[in-house]
């Protein structure tokens, strides 16, 4: 289950279809996509660009073990995670 307006991580993204789909229906406001291989991450980048969501995803080349730290770092520095003081009923930052 994905909460409305969440910022999600897709570890082992391959092509990026899941986060792109969530962005396209307005379910999430941004995503971090990680993969251990450059090819799939490049495919995810192309798909995000083609779908018009390249500015709402962070792409990180990393293995599964290091992915959590990378995701947390990307999320904490992303424009979509900056705290503007506005929060929803779950405590999520609202832009």
């Amino acid at each position: 289950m994905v909460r409305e307006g969440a910022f999600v991580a897709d570890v082992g993204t391959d092509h990026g279809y899941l986060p792109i789909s969530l962005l396209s229906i307005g379910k999430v406001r941004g995503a971090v996509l990680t993969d251990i291989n450059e090819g799939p991450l490049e495919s995810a980048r192309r798909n995000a660009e083609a779908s018009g969501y390249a500015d709402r995803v962070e792409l990180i080349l990393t293995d599964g073990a290091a992915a959590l730290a990378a995701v947390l770092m990307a999320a904490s520095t992303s424009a979509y995670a900056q705290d503007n003081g506005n929060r929803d009923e779950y405590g999520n930052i609202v832009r």
Side-chain angles (χ1 to χ4, degrees), residues 3 5-9 28-32 56 58 71 74-75 78 80-81:
R3 274 197 308 233
F7 189 92
V8 298
V28 300
R29 67 179 187 270
V32 175
R56 297 180 58 193
E58 300 282 340
V71 166
S78 170
Y80 297 98

Side-chain angles (χ1 to χ4, degrees), residues 1-54:
M1 177 182 277
V2 178
R3 274 197 308 233
E4 191 80 25
F7 189 92
V8 298
D10 185 9
V11 178
T13 193
D14 288 329
H15 35 65
Y17 292 153
L18 178 59
I20 291 168
S21 176
L22 291 169
L23 284 161
S24 73
I25 63 171
K27 186 73 172 178
V28 300
R29 67 179 187 270
V32 175
L33 289 64
T34 73
D35 206 282
I36 193 169
N37 296 306
E38 290 181 23
L41 203 59
E42 176 61 21
S43 176
R45 183 192 63 75
R46 284 192 310 269
N47 290 332
E49 287 176 353
S51 300
Y53 297 110

